[in-house]
Amino acid sequence: MSEIHFEALRADLDQLSVPRGEVRHLRWLVPPLAIGRTASGDFEVFIRGAEIHAVSPLVKRHLQHGEWRPEAGGAQFSANRIVLPSAQHFASVAALIAIELVRSGIATSGGIQKAFSDVEPIIEMAIRRGALSENIVIGLIGELSVLRQLLLLGKSRSNSMLRYLNFWQGWQEGTRDFRIGDHSIEVKTTRSESAIHQFSGLHQLEPMQQPSGAMEHLYIMSFGLAASSVMGETLPSIVNSIVTLLSTAAEGSDLANEFLRRVSLYGCQSGGGYAHQTMLGWAAYGTRYTHTYIPRLYRIEDPAMRLLRRDMLDDTFVQAKGLSFTVHFPDQVSAFNPVPKWESELDRVIKFSDVI
């Protein structure tokens, strides 16, 4: 195997067909190492043996140790697995990883962990282009938490659920996360135990004039999310819950498929997006997240909100364009800010906006 060149292995993987059903096609390169392909088209790199350990947090999220089968009815084998997306160029990435593992001595006695550690930087670079970062994952979970609540409100009404789905704008770049008439919501997530959030510009905190001529009513929805091994929700589980809600609507599966399309576009400007139907079983998306504090919905127009304003910069050398900053929102700004119950406030906003 050490004499096989990249192009030869790459051509071999091109011939590795996509199987049907709950099977996978495998190519064993050396006894501890195989490359597989699943029914979803994903490429898998298997390192047989005991659990290995990654240094990179990103690689650690994608590394999964378990029992696997080469095909339906085949004998199980214990191995570490890394999944790469189905896009054809990832055949080249899988080939590169495999060749470097062999060159690093993965087939030698006791060489599995050492070879993996040597090649881990290459694996990290490959994964970075194939999956969402954890920051984007928790951002998406935050937005989907709001969307699910809106859809639950819509389920009790006779209107089209598409209208409620369309409230979510965060899957598109450069817009508010949610627009409900003249009301808008920017969703922020943090892994902190306090509402400490990063802002990419003053525009995220500045109400804007609407096409109707009215001034925008802007809210900040604050979530604190931390990884948990025993409780909370994963990204696939919250996506599944929304698919179930949408599937019960009159529009049925078409609406659910449109939702999944929009989810797949979220954050894809930084790499690959989350394709639910093929990635729901990926180890990288199997992390549970639980709340570090009760979610809060802040009203920006409250006079008690002590925020940076554009006019404050007029007498300084600081330019608003390109400015980024951190805001630490207190637990309580004023008597009714954050709102006592964010779910009830969403219901009030929908009714007030006359969008139903």
Side-chain angles (χ1 to χ4, degrees):
M1 174 62 209
S2 59
E3 297 178 356
I4 294 181
H5 297 292
F6 172 82
E7 290 298 335
L9 179 55
R10 174 65 173 79
D12 189 36
L13 293 183
D14 270 339
Q15 302 303 314
L16 196 61
S17 61
V18 176
R20 293 183 179 182
E22 296 298 319
V23 300
R24 59 169 48 88
H25 290 166
L26 290 176
R27 289 286 188 275
W28 286 99
L29 309 179
V30 291
L33 179 64
I35 296 178
R37 201 158 193 200
T38 66
S40 62
D42 295 335
F43 292 94
E44 302 171 300
V45 178
F46 288 100
I47 301 175
R48 196 167 187 168
E51 184 174 3
I52 55 181
H53 302 283
V55 174
S56 160
L58 180 63
V59 175
K60 192 178 297 184
R61 286 175 53 221
H62 286 73
L63 190 62
Q64 185 177 12
H65 185 266
E67 298 294 322
W68 314 97
R69 289 186 184 275
E71 56 184 325
Q76 285 189 342
F77 60 94
S78 179
N80 303 271
R81 181 183 74 151
I82 296 171
V83 184
L84 300 172
S86 58
Q88 201 58 37
H89 66 274
F90 277 98
S92 300
V93 176
L96 174 62
I97 291 172
I99 287 176
E100 291 303 317
L101 285 170
V102 172
R103 288 175 177 170
S104 296
I106 196 170
T108 61
S109 176
I112 292 176
Q113 180 65 60
K114 178 183 181 303
F116 177 83
S117 298
D118 289 346
V119 182
E120 186 176 351
I122 296 176
I123 296 172
E124 182 177 23
M125 286 190 294
I127 289 174
R128 200 169 293 281
R129 293 296 301 169
L132 298 176
S133 69
E134 188 173 21
N135 283 341
I136 295 178
V137 168
I138 65 171
L140 179 54
I141 289 175
E143 292 189 29
L144 294 184
S145 298
V146 176
L147 175 61
R148 181 170 57 186
Q149 182 59 36
L150 289 169
L151 292 173
L152 286 169
L153 293 172
K155 188 178 179 182
S156 64
R157 300 180 173 116
S158 60
N159 303 84
S160 168
M161 290 284 274
L162 176 60
R163 184 170 298 181
Y164 287 81
L165 177 60
N166 285 340
F167 290 154
W168 181 39
Q169 301 284 301
W171 60 277
Q172 304 174 97
E173 190 177 3
T175 185
R176 297 295 193 203
D177 295 328
F178 289 87
R179 289 192 181 276
I180 308 171
D182 291 332
H183 292 71
S184 299
I185 303 171
E186 288 280 5
V187 180
K188 290 293 183 180
T189 56
T190 179
R191 280 172 281 190
S192 172
E193 294 183 357
S194 302
I196 302 173
H197 299 293
Q198 305 296 317
F199 288 83
S200 60
L202 290 174
H203 64 280
Q204 290 191 295
L205 290 169
E206 291 177 326
M208 298 179 291
Q209 191 169 28
Q210 303 299 292
S212 64
M215 186 58 67
E216 176 184 41
H217 300 284
L218 180 59
Y219 294 84
I220 297 295
M221 183 76 232
S222 172
F223 288 102
L225 296 173
S228 171
S229 59
V230 295
M231 59 189 301
E233 286 188 290
T234 66
L235 175 58
S237 68
I238 193 170
V239 170
N240 276 333
S241 68
I242 293 175
V243 167
T244 299
L245 275 173
L246 293 173
S247 297
T248 61
E251 300 90 335
S253 60
D254 288 344
L255 196 54
N257 288 335
E258 174 58 19
F259 162 67
L260 292 178
R261 185 188 73 84
R262 296 181 186 186
V263 167
S264 71
L265 295 173
Y266 184 94
C268 64
Q269 63 270 16
S270 61
Y274 172 70
H276 180 66
Q277 293 167 320
T278 61
M279 298 180 178
L280 76 167
W282 285 25
Y285 299 119
T287 303
R288 293 176 177 270
Y289 292 95
T290 187
H291 294 286
T292 59
Y293 53 84
I294 297 173
R296 303 171 190 160
L297 185 62
Y298 291 94
R299 293 185 297 109
I300 293 299
E301 60 192 23
D302 183 350
M305 289 289 273
R306 300 172 62 184
L307 299 171
L308 182 65
R309 299 190 310 271
R310 196 172 296 267
D311 58 8
M312 294 177 176
L313 303 178
D314 290 346
D315 294 328
T316 74
F317 299 129
V318 179
Q319 296 186 9
K321 184 178 180 181
L323 181 67
S324 60
F325 51 91
T326 302
V327 177
H328 185 176
F329 293 99
D331 296 353
Q332 196 71 40
V333 175
S334 59
F336 296 98
N337 196 20
V339 300
K341 190 173 181 181
W342 69 273
E343 299 93 337
S344 299
E345 182 69 7
L346 291 183
D347 191 33
R348 187 195 70 80
V349 165
I350 291 173
K351 293 175 180 177
F352 180 83
S353 300
D354 194 27
V355 292
I356 59 172

